[in-house]
Amino acid sequence: MTGFSLFPTSTGGGWPAWAPKALQRTVLQGGVVESVSPTLFILRCDLGGWPPGWPAGARSLKARACISIATARSRRPTELVTACSPHSPQSEIVAAVARALDVPATVYTGPAKRPNWGRHLHNAEALGATVRHTKVGYNTVVAAAATRHADGNADIVLIPFGMKCEAAVAQAATALEAVPSETRTVVVPVGSGVTLAGAIATLAGRDVSMVGVAVGADPRPTLNSLARGWEGRHVTIVHPSEPYADPADARGAPVPMHPLYEAKAWNWMTALTAGALRGPVCFVVVGAPVGAPVGAPVDAKARA
């Protein structure tokens, strides 16, 4: 058990009346396990529970977390605001959630010009989000700009950079409860570190080793904040050689994988010699690959 709740006390411990019921099903959907071989499972967090027309590029564990954050109040917010890299799926995720909730979205990112945007940022704009740029692209500067935008207005929901918050850890922990009991090693693609923190919360009491394949910044500060004591819980962090913004092809992968995240983690894992990881191994797919077209409009008024 994680000790977290997907429905906070601010909404009476339940789903808020103003939010579409279809999104409640999305939040409650756990991971889907696919068996590749007797020694390899894939836990997919991009499958199941999505409302009709949900953008394919925003089908991820982080989208479920974003819904949890955005609906953790008794009344509809006036705006969702976030900050992220121009290549991050978070821009499209927040735009998709805002559209489903029928509220505007603002995405802060670095100074990258439109030709250098990632596909997710283009999709976010197509979904109706306003994209604002900071003069420099340091993560701390971009995150601070979004925080200033939301400061002083309790009706604006700030979706943290990397979704570094307990609500996102709770969502990840819930999804990773589906890791098969016979698993001995879990391999997690790591961006901000939130999914790995959720894995630690769920799996710490089991005979499972966890490997976080860090494709971006060092996730240890996130783990120190959201998964205290993680160093003593059979957790290893490795760093593939590719720069974050450089896409990779997932060699021989049996399911679609995001070129900035899962593909790099998959290639790291499959390059190891046989027996390097205790088996069976469960590989976590956090989200859908980039490049999917924007879907049909989400019916924000649906309550069924």
Side-chain angles (χ1 to χ4, degrees), residues 19 33 107 143 147 290 292:
V33 176
V107 176
T147 299
V290 71

Side-chain angles (χ1 to χ4, degrees), residues 54-76:
W54 193 265
R59 298 185 179 198
S60 97
L61 176 59
K62 292 293 186 73
R64 304 185 202 277
C66 182
I67 295 168
S68 292
I69 298 166
T71 57
R73 53 183 59 213
S74 59
R75 63 184 183 183
R76 187 187 306 272

Side-chain angles (χ1 to χ4, degrees), residues 1-2 169-170 172-179 197-206:
M1 299 298 293
T2 66
V169 174
T174 300
L176 270 79
E177 288 175 356
V179 169
I200 293 167
T202 290
L203 303 173
R206 291 170 50 175

Side-chain angles (χ1 to χ4, degrees), residues 238-302:
V238 299
H239 299 267
S241 58
E242 302 98 327
Y244 166 70
D246 289 358
D249 292 323
R251 297 183 291 272
V255 301
M257 294 194 178
H258 197 292
L260 301 185
Y261 297 90
E262 282 78 5
K264 293 172 184 176
W266 176 264
N267 291 344
W268 173 87
M269 182 183 75
T270 55
L272 298 174
T273 57
L277 300 176
R278 285 197 305 157
V281 174
C282 183
F283 182 90
V284 179
V285 173
V286 179
V290 71
V294 175
V298 175
D299 184 1
K301 304 297 189 293

Side-chain angles (χ1 to χ4, degrees), residues 62 139 161-165 169 188-198 200 210-231 235-240 244 261:
K62 292 293 186 73
N139 291 351
F161 193 106
M163 295 195 197
K164 299 175 188 176
C165 62
V169 174
V188 182
V190 175
S192 66
V194 165
T195 303
L196 182 56
I200 293 167
M210 289 166 269
V211 180
V213 184
V215 301
D218 185 354
R220 287 177 295 181
T222 299
L223 297 180
N224 291 340
S225 172
L226 295 174
R228 292 182 179 89
W230 66 271
E231 299 95 334
V235 179
T236 302
I237 298 173
V238 299
H239 299 267
Y244 166 70
Y261 297 90

Side-chain angles (χ1 to χ4, degrees), residues 96-209:
V97 172
R99 183 165 171 166
L101 296 178
D102 199 22
V103 300
T106 300
V107 176
Y108 283 87
T109 191
K113 297 185 182 299
R114 187 176 295 272
N116 297 321
W117 286 11
R119 183 64 179 270
H120 287 298
L121 194 56
H122 284 289
N123 283 357
E125 189 176 59
L127 286 165
T130 299
V131 178
R132 294 186 176 180
H133 298 277
T134 57
K135 291 183 179 179
V136 294
Y138 295 118
N139 291 351
T140 52
V141 173
V142 177
T147 299
R148 286 194 299 272
H149 183 116
D151 273 352
N153 190 332
D155 292 325
I156 294 177
V157 171
L158 175 66
I159 309 297
F161 193 106
M163 295 195 197
K164 299 175 188 176
C165 62
E166 287 195 354
V169 174
Q171 196 71 53
T174 300
L176 270 79
E177 288 175 356
V179 169
S181 60
E182 58 267 44
T183 299
R184 291 297 171 263
T185 301
V186 174
V187 177
V188 182
V190 175
S192 66
V194 165
T195 303
L196 182 56
I200 293 167
T202 290
L203 303 173
R206 291 170 50 175
D207 180 22
V208 175
S209 300

Side-chain angles (χ1 to χ4, degrees), residues 12-109:
W15 189 250
W18 59 264
K21 284 287 188 182
L23 295 185
Q24 182 182 21
R25 292 192 290 271
T26 302
V27 169
L28 292 174
Q29 173 69 43
V32 176
V33 176
E34 297 184 357
S35 179
V36 178
S37 74
T39 59
L40 178 61
F41 302 106
I42 294 183
L43 176 61
R44 298 189 62 178
C45 301
D46 60 321
L47 297 180
W50 303 108
W54 193 265
R59 298 185 179 198
S60 97
L61 176 59
K62 292 293 186 73
R64 304 185 202 277
C66 182
I67 295 168
S68 292
I69 298 166
T71 57
R73 53 183 59 213
S74 59
R75 63 184 183 183
R76 187 187 306 272
T78 58
E79 184 182 12
L80 303 187
V81 177
T82 196
C84 61
S85 155
H87 304 283
S88 171
Q90 185 157 323
S91 58
E92 185 173 358
I93 287 167
V94 173
V97 172
R99 183 165 171 166
L101 296 178
D102 199 22
V103 300
T106 300
V107 176
Y108 283 87
T109 191

